[in-house]
Amino acid sequence: MRAKNISILKNMLRMAFLGALFSTPAWSVNLTIGGTGNALGTMHIMADAYQLKHPDVTIKVLPSIGSSGAIKAMAKGKIDIGLSARPLKEKESVSGAISVEYARTPTVIAMSNRSPKTDISTDELVNIYLGKMTKWENGDFIRPVTRQAQDGNTIQLQQLSPALKDAMEKIDKHSKFLFASTDQEAVDLIEEAQGSFGVTTLALILSEKRPIHALKLNGISPTSEACISGEYPIIKRFYFILPQQLPSHVKDFLDFVKSEQGKAILENNGSYAI
């Protein structure tokens, strides 16, 4: 009787194993992507579209860990694909990772859709950061959303003119300025704080469907076409941070990003493919 019970138990375990084997595809793949907050919204859309065509693949897009976070995570093998707003520095390349540019988007100055303002000039920005201009035309107090001194958006804004760079280096003297530590936190403040404005990207605004709008800069609309022609002055470049030897499931996803469908997703969300 004991031997019979053992045989029955073995058969039950075998059937359970076979059921698990056929109910969960053996080829199921997990792909983890993380990095700069400016690229995450578009990458969520890209991942959803890819998974519709490849239901055997599960893609996880992490909350923002920044460009440097993506590079460190790749070096430690914590993610499969990193998203960065800058290429690798020489000292970062020794880890064996590579950076490949895949898209660009306008870097923009943005305000809440509650604001009627549609254009801003470099001179206005200088006066705002010097504290000489404190109210918008509608009477709202101006509340700039600032970032870390070495943040890419901060550096790009400073590069518009020497006078603006000098003015921005003095912003700690003005109490009405706000501070954000991540790309998503910056747009949260732009949405919520009356009279606020800040630097973000067209890709983030469109892909996350944020209720904010990009301002013209010195009369120039921040479009992909204006970036390509050189008419619009500030552009965010997006890079994949990758291992030198690409696993097949990573290569398949990158091929999708480069496909016509992938390029359309980029273009529909404020970026253009490289």
Side-chain angles (χ1 to χ4, degrees), residues 45-105:
I45 297 168
M46 194 77 71
D48 288 344
Y50 182 81
Q51 288 174 123
L52 284 176
K53 299 184 72 171
H54 303 273
D56 52 303
V57 178
T58 300
I59 300 178
K60 181 177 182 181
V61 181
L62 302 176
S64 177
I65 57 175
S67 296
S68 295
I71 294 165
K72 292 175 183 176
M74 174 59 66
K76 294 179 180 179
K78 300 295 185 183
I79 58 177
D80 298 289
I81 298 174
L83 306 173
S84 177
R86 63 173 177 83
L88 290 170
K89 299 175 183 176
E90 185 176 352
K91 64 181 180 180
E92 293 168 333
S93 299
V94 299
S95 66
I98 59 173
S99 55
V100 178
E101 187 178 3
Y102 70 92
R104 296 178 186 178
T105 187

Side-chain angles (χ1 to χ4, degrees), residues 170-188:
K170 302 171 182 177
I171 60 175
D172 59 335
K173 298 179 181 180
H174 305 295
S175 61
K176 291 189 181 297
F177 287 15
L178 305 170
F179 179 80
S181 58
T182 68
D183 297 318
Q184 274 66 32
E185 186 178 334
V187 290
D188 287 344

Side-chain angles (χ1 to χ4, degrees), residues 34-262:
T36 175
N38 281 300
L40 294 181
T42 304
M43 205 50 56
H44 273 289
I45 297 168
M46 194 77 71
D48 288 344
Y50 182 81
Q51 288 174 123
L52 284 176
K53 299 184 72 171
H54 303 273
D56 52 303
V57 178
T58 300
I59 300 178
K60 181 177 182 181
V61 181
L62 302 176
S64 177
I65 57 175
S67 296
S68 295
I71 294 165
K72 292 175 183 176
M74 174 59 66
K76 294 179 180 179
K78 300 295 185 183
I79 58 177
D80 298 289
I81 298 174
L83 306 173
S84 177
R86 63 173 177 83
L88 290 170
K89 299 175 183 176
E90 185 176 352
K91 64 181 180 180
E92 293 168 333
S93 299
V94 299
S95 66
I98 59 173
S99 55
V100 178
E101 187 178 3
Y102 70 92
R104 296 178 186 178
T105 187
T107 300
V108 301
I109 299 163
M111 294 189 71
S112 165
N113 287 345
R114 297 189 305 272
S115 170
K117 190 170 182 63
T118 59
D119 199 332
I120 197 163
S121 69
T122 304
D123 287 342
E124 283 180 300
L125 289 169
V126 171
N127 287 329
I128 288 169
Y129 285 109
L130 287 176
K132 295 179 179 179
M133 180 176 168
T134 60
K135 288 186 177 182
W136 298 116
E137 293 86 343
N138 65 355
D140 286 343
F141 281 103
I142 300 173
R143 306 190 70 190
V145 176
T146 62
R147 300 289 302 276
Q148 301 93 330
Q150 294 306 310
D151 176 76
N153 289 345
T154 301
I155 293 170
Q156 282 195 300
L157 198 61
Q158 291 177 343
Q159 290 172 343
L160 288 174
S161 78
L164 183 55
K165 183 178 186 297
D166 181 65
M168 290 181 69
E169 289 174 348
K170 302 171 182 177
I171 60 175
D172 59 335
K173 298 179 181 180
H174 305 295
S175 61
K176 291 189 181 297
F177 287 15
L178 305 170
F179 179 80
S181 58
T182 68
D183 297 318
Q184 274 66 32
E185 186 178 334
V187 290
D188 287 344
L189 287 171
I190 295 169
E191 287 180 20
E192 298 164 5
Q194 189 78 14
S196 66
F197 78 94
V199 183
T200 182
T201 61
L202 188 62
L204 191 156
I205 294 173
L206 296 183
S207 65
E208 297 189 10
K209 296 180 172 57
R210 295 284 189 153
I212 63 179
H213 61 275
L215 303 179
K216 293 179 181 178
L217 179 58
N218 298 321
I220 307 300
S221 295
T223 64
S224 294
E225 293 76 16
C227 289
I228 293 169
S229 70
E231 188 178 14
Y232 188 78
I234 42 180
I235 303 169
K236 185 73 68 181
R237 291 169 165 82
F238 292 139
Y239 298 83
F240 285 131
I241 306 300
L242 304 164
Q244 288 188 352
Q245 298 298 321
L246 292 180
S248 59
H249 63 290
V250 172
K251 183 179 182 303
D252 287 344
F253 181 76
L254 298 182
D255 287 343
F256 177 75
V257 175
K258 296 175 185 177
S259 71
E260 291 306 312
Q261 185 178 356

Side-chain angles (χ1 to χ4, degrees), residues 21-30 54-58 249:
L21 179 64
F22 287 105
S23 63
T24 303
W27 58 87
S28 180
V29 175
N30 289 322
H54 303 273
D56 52 303
V57 178
T58 300
H249 63 290

